[in-house]
Amino acid sequence: VQLQASGGGSVQPGGSLRLSCAGSGFTSDYYAMGWYRQAPGKERDLVSCISSSDDIYYADSVKGRFTISRDNTRNTIYLQLNNLKVEDTAVYYCAAANHFCTISGGGMGYWGKGTQVTVSS
């Protein structure tokens, strides 16, 4: 399985970005895919996830601002980031696992390279 993340960038507070993660090599249609982020000096945290059964999770810090979605092929996910805040600045990583995302990222079998999101005025 390979994951290719894209869509990061630099925006001002209140701005928006859309991240994409294209997966390939899946052996079934039922994978959990999610987004993690890691800010400098901080631990990696789960931002949002779609499970293999399409249950959706959002971290409290992004609820109401970020939206995760999956395309019809089930191999690509998106993360719409609205009303961005300075504290959203981090490297965002796409990951996949058989059924569920883990909060810490441990146990996620597949990772893409990170994409930088910078929010500053």
Side-chain angles (χ1 to χ4, degrees), residues 49-57 68 70 100:
C49 177
I50 295 182
S51 74
S52 60
S53 57
D54 294 332
D55 295 320
I56 290 177
Y57 166 88
I68 193 169
R70 174 155 46 193
F100 304 103

Side-chain angles (χ1 to χ4, degrees), residues 2-55:
Q2 292 186 326
L3 302 173
Q4 181 67 48
S6 61
S10 296
V11 297
Q12 293 183 339
S16 298
L17 288 171
R18 190 188 195 211
L19 306 183
S20 299
C21 175
S24 61
F26 291 113
T27 58
S28 82
D29 291 336
Y30 300 100
Y31 273 82
M33 294 182 71
W35 292 95
Y36 293 78
R37 67 185 180 187
Q38 187 167 22
K42 295 188 176 181
E43 294 185 349
R44 179 182 59 198
D45 290 319
L46 176 61
V47 176
S48 183
C49 177
I50 295 182
S51 74
S52 60
S53 57
D54 294 332
D55 295 320

